[in-house]
Amino acid sequence: MVMNVSKDGMMTIKGIENGYYMAPTLITGMKQNSRLMQEEIFGPVVCVMPFKAEEEAVQMANDTQYGLGACVWTMDKMKMMRVMKQINAGTVWGNDWLNTDECMPFGGMGCSGTSREHGPWSLEFYTETKALYYPSMN
C-alpha cells in the first residue's frame, strides 16, 4: 500500500488520498529528523529505529516536541522502569500498549498537551482560576 517514503518522511500512499483505511504499517530506515520520526502519527503506523545504548534510545525518544505516549519493550524489568521514568511522554507503557485504567491520568507533554483527563487530575481541566486583588481598606 505505501508507494514511497522519502528521506524527509513524506509518504505517498495509493488509495487513501480521501481518508480511507490504511493497513497496519511498519516503517524502518528513517532518519531521526524526518517528519515521520518528529510528528505524531495517529493511525496503525509504527516507525522503528535501531539504537546501540540505552542512553541513545532515551535521547531519541525525547528528541521531539511531542509526547503523548511511548512504549518500552524489554525482558529486563529494572531497565524498563529506569527508561520509562526518563521518557518525556504523558503515558509510557512497559511491555504493553494502549491499556489504561480510568483512574490513571491521561494526557501529553510538550505540544501534545499539558492537561490531564481521568481521576482527580481532570478537575483542573474544568476549573477556571480567577485572581482578585484589592488594596487594604484600613
Side-chain angles (χ1 to χ4, degrees):
M1 182 180 278
V2 176
M3 292 176 54
N4 181 41
V5 179
S6 66
K7 293 296 180 190
D8 69 353
M10 295 296 295
M11 289 192 338
T12 304
I13 304 168
K14 182 179 181 179
I16 67 164
E17 298 86 355
N18 297 314
Y20 297 109
Y21 175 80
M22 182 173 177
T25 304
L26 171 69
I27 300 174
T28 62
M30 299 306 303
K31 292 185 178 183
Q32 181 64 23
N33 63 353
S34 71
R35 288 185 65 195
L36 283 170
M37 297 304 292
Q38 291 297 312
E39 297 180 8
E40 293 179 320
I41 299 173
F42 292 96
V45 176
V46 65
C47 299
V48 178
M49 295 276 296
F51 59 91
K52 293 185 176 139
E54 178 179 314
E55 295 78 17
E56 181 185 13
V58 170
Q59 187 276 328
M60 289 166 63
N62 291 333
D63 182 28
T64 178
Q65 61 184 345
Y66 300 98
L68 186 57
C71 301
V72 175
W73 298 88
T74 179
M75 300 290 286
D76 184 332
K77 184 177 180 181
M78 296 303 290
K79 180 184 290 188
M80 178 176 65
M81 295 302 296
R82 185 173 58 245
V83 170
M84 288 173 71
K85 289 177 183 178
Q86 295 177 68
I87 294 178
N88 298 327
T91 302
V92 181
W93 288 272
N95 292 341
D96 203 348
W97 176 71
L98 213 51
N99 279 321
T100 60
D101 183 309
E102 60 188 46
C103 295
M104 292 177 60
F106 175 78
M109 293 184 171
C111 290
S112 293
T114 55
S115 64
R116 295 293 175 263
E117 299 174 16
H118 306 299
W121 301 275
S122 64
L123 295 176
E124 203 171 302
F125 181 76
Y126 297 102
T127 303
E128 187 172 302
T129 305
K130 182 177 186 175
L132 301 176
Y133 171 83
Y134 54 91
S136 176
M137 297 177 66
N138 297 5

